[in-house]
Amino acid sequence: MSSSPIFHRARVFRDPVHGLIPINAKDEFLSELIDTPEFQRLHRVRQLGVASMTFPGADHSRFCHSIGVMHIASRILEVLRNRYHDSSIANLVDKHRQTILAAALLHDIGHGPFSHLMERAFKSSKDHEVRTMDMITTSKGSVSQILKRNGINPDDVRQVIDHKFPFLFLQDIVSSQLDADRMDYLIRDSHFAGVDYGVFDLEWILNCFCVGSYAEDNTDPERWRLCLDKKRGLQAAEQLILARQHMSLQVYYHKSTRRWEAVFLCLIREAARLAAENALPANTPELVVLYLKDRGRVNHEQFLFLDEPLMFTAFALWRTASKPEHQWLNKLASGFLNRSKVLERMDLQEDLPSHLETLLRENLNKAFGAENSHWELDQGEFTPYKGEDPDTKKGDPEGYEDSVLATSILLSDTTTTLRAVPVAEVSAIFKTLIDQRFRLRRLFCDPKIKIEVDRIVRDVLTSNQLVLHS
Amino acid sequence: MNILIQLGSLLRTVTQIEGRKKLQKMVHILQEFGVPFDVSYGYHFYGPFSEQLQDSLQSFQHDGLIHETPYHQTSRFAADAKLLELLELVDATSPPAWAPFAIELNAKSPRDLEAISTLLYLEKQTGNIVGSDAVDETFEKLKPNLKELLPKAKSTLAEFRVTFSPNKLAA
């Protein structure tokens, strides 16, 4: 029995996506981690920010997602353990199993309220991974104590999150284009959004996981990668990447969701501007004032209660602010809470090229100030698959290898003897997807500045030479 | 600062950069010296690597703003006319304060830059200063192939810190 002050028995979670997720008595440390304030906070941070404005069911939390990621990671480890029993791979799996499970469970604990959306509001809150790493190793919280008490080095868990873990194939389970995080969020987000786009053959992908080597030196276990069985896994991987593309287009970048994100961003920027001038409504919760003043920088204890219920409390209070200087704040908060129109959407070609987008942003900055609370130029852009075009292999072999090692999905004959193959070298679908870029640029503004914004958009899109070159 | 404008200024300053690795490490080192590219770096086998930068580069190539042409065993990156024109339209044509630094970095080999870039990354991540045993040990563990370059990388970095301190680059 552990020396933990709280005794945990084997435990099981009922999950709408994976069914029963058991935590065995031998993995009691996971139960202890789940019961920390750091992890329980994730109940109060939703996975998809404001997506439920568009998809009413999409209010699921990072708590259930994180449990799901831990579950998938556990199953991948089991597949590898069974496939390579009594080998050096199995020994490495056994040795680092707890570290990988802890990293999978804790990978999101640094997310601020409204997840990625808040990271767009403040640059200083940009990297939730950095806060996650700090929360894992800091002596101030309970996480590092639990890890140490169970013989897990918090620095090792940190390394996995930081992409610095010495064994790539184990790190890949938590952080790669086929990681447990992605596999859980696609299915979970699809389920809760009420769509069928995020569906792929999870069971078959799990069954196809193996280890391979892309590096010239295939004897170095530190350079082995998590791969898919070359004979069986390619179609399931294609299906997963297409699921991601369809979820991005249909859910994550949905135009209504992006509109409410723009309202949210303007609201937070307006509140931050008022906070800097000590002019927020007097009844604003103290922690929200501090958070906005420091533009996302708060200490560990404060972060534990910085969550969405607190932010919604502030929005509700701002909705009733009556002073003239709070007029715009009031309007944005009311619009956000009541889902009533606050910002105008401007006509903009959604695949606007980068140079025109940059010029437009520079001109808007000049006219109204950067990071203004009266406009938002949404530069949504994604690629379904981050890989390297095999055609660049001849031109820049080292650059190609660097990039492939960093990002590509690899196929292996399940041994480390034959060199693993990047999927884009054998799959026309992957090769095509490398060059696919989806741009969804949208401009939203306060109706009061619409005429001026219209003029700037027209100037940029019609009256300069750049357009002629496009 | 907008990444397209910053990359445009960089390529305009040095005319061309040979190889992806060199470009990745130059941007990392410049950023660590306070030049705002605003890209996040993770650690990969060849040292600090920014997927965000790689992604932006592909996006800008797609738009015909930056081109990559094969050159010997590597490739050359340069700005296209459209990007140079954009720099003019947004008044970004005067050489930035960091231009001499960028030129000096561009004259180094990719391996030298990889060693310097890794030292800067380790310093930031571990909180131990370059020159400490802790950084040396981690460097040698992560980069056995660059072990012989470590003393030179440390001295070059020290020189850079005297000549190109963030205060001077911001001037």
Side-chain angles (χ1 to χ4, degrees), chain A residues 163 354 381 388 395 398 439, chain B residues 20-21 43 59 63 74 85:
Chain A
H163 319 282
S354 314
E381 179 164 343
E388 196 55 60
E398 199 171 310
R439 284 189 175 139
Chain B
R20 289 158 187 231
K21 187 201 264 189
Y43 192 82
S59 177
D63 287 336
T74 179
E85 193 185 332

Side-chain angles (χ1 to χ4, degrees), chain B residues 45-150:
Chain B
F45 192 78
Y46 288 94
F49 178 88
S50 171
E51 282 184 29
Q52 204 185 338
L53 175 61
Q54 172 74 4
D55 202 36
S56 298
L57 275 173
Q58 285 180 349
S59 177
F60 302 150
Q61 283 177 258
H62 175 89
D63 287 336
L65 299 164
I66 288 175
H67 61 264
E68 182 182 6
T69 43
Y71 177 74
H72 293 297
Q73 277 302 292
T74 179
S75 57
R76 276 177 165 166
F77 288 93
D80 263 308
K82 203 154 54 177
L83 178 52
L84 297 175
E85 193 185 332
L86 175 73
L87 296 180
E88 280 176 31
L89 287 168
V90 299
D91 297 327
T93 48
S94 9
W98 44 268
F101 189 23
I103 291 165
E104 187 147 344
L105 288 174
N106 202 29
K108 305 264 175 221
S109 74
R111 273 162 63 85
D112 283 333
L113 294 178
E114 183 183 343
I116 295 167
S117 168
T118 302
L119 283 174
L120 285 165
Y121 188 84
L122 291 178
E123 184 171 79
K124 197 171 185 177
Q125 291 296 313
T126 64
N128 297 309
I129 57 166
V130 171
S132 64
D133 290 345
V135 168
D136 281 4
E137 281 165 21
T138 316
F139 183 95
E140 286 175 17
K141 193 177 155 209
L142 288 172
K143 299 273 167 205
N145 56 329
L146 297 181
K147 198 175 165 182
E148 78 280 7
L149 296 180
L150 179 59

